[in-house]
Amino acid sequence: MSKPSIISEPPSAPVEPLLSIDDLGRLLNCGRRTIERMLSAGKLPKPDLRIGRMPRWQPTTIRHWIASGGIK
């Protein structure tokens, strides 16, 4: 009798890394300070995760935000 494998099949979707403020700046073609101002003014979606004081967004959150015209 063999032991069942813990991971029987690969995940269906690839794992995407969370986006930082610098990643958003590169994606939106603006500086870090602009992203920080947009975040504090409520013009960006709320971060999906905060690691200490570092906000992180899932790429799907930002894609939906862009698709909606950048309106929160």
Side-chain angles (χ1 to χ4, degrees), residues 1 3 11 30 55 59 63 71:
M1 195 155 115
K3 292 182 180 180
C30 60
R63 282 190 210 109
I71 300 170

Side-chain angles (χ1 to χ4, degrees), residues 51-67:
I51 303 172
R53 292 176 36 191
M54 300 179 297
R56 296 290 188 261
W57 293 265
Q58 292 181 358
T60 54
T61 301
I62 300 302
R63 282 190 210 109
H64 291 302
W65 176 72
I66 291 171

Side-chain angles (χ1 to χ4, degrees), residues 7-47:
I7 300 175
S8 59
E9 55 186 68
S12 60
V15 176
E16 293 181 298
L18 296 173
L19 301 173
S20 67
I21 288 178
D22 292 328
D23 295 331
L24 281 181
R26 283 190 292 276
L27 182 67
L28 301 175
N29 196 27
C30 60
R32 176 184 181 86
R33 187 66 184 128
T34 301
I35 298 297
E36 290 170 346
R37 286 182 186 133
M38 290 173 68
L39 181 59
S40 65
K43 294 182 179 181
L44 285 173
K46 295 226 184 254

